[in-house]
Amino acid sequence: MHHEVAAYVLGVLDEEEHEAFERHLDACQDCQVQLRELSEVPELLDELKHSPTASEDSH
C-alpha cells in the first residue's frame, strides 16, 4: 500500500485501488505524512509544464 501514495496524489489509481488506498490511509500514519509531503507535486508539475522555460526547452 505504501508505494501507492504517489499514484494516489497523481490521480492514476483506478476506482478500486483509490478506494482501497483511502481505507488504508485512514489508519496509516506513514502514508498520511507522505501524502502531505507529496500533495503539492501535481500543482508543481502543472506549473513546470506551463512555464515559459519548459516551452523553450522543448524546441
Side-chain angles (χ1 to χ4, degrees), residues 3-15:
H3 65 279
E4 293 181 345
V5 176
Y8 178 83
V9 168
L10 294 173
V12 297
L13 297 177
D14 65 28
E15 185 176 336

Side-chain angles (χ1 to χ4, degrees), residues 29-52:
Q29 292 288 327
D30 291 337
C31 285
Q32 292 172 21
V33 169
Q34 288 180 30
L35 180 61
R36 282 191 295 274
E37 291 173 352
L38 294 174
S39 65
E40 295 180 13
V41 169
E43 183 178 322
L44 293 172
L45 290 174
D46 194 46
E47 287 176 18
L48 284 174
K49 181 179 174 183
H50 294 101
S51 74

Side-chain angles (χ1 to χ4, degrees), residues 20-31:
F21 182 77
E22 286 192 336
R23 286 190 300 274
H24 169 79
L25 188 60
D26 287 338
C28 183
Q29 292 288 327
D30 291 337
C31 285

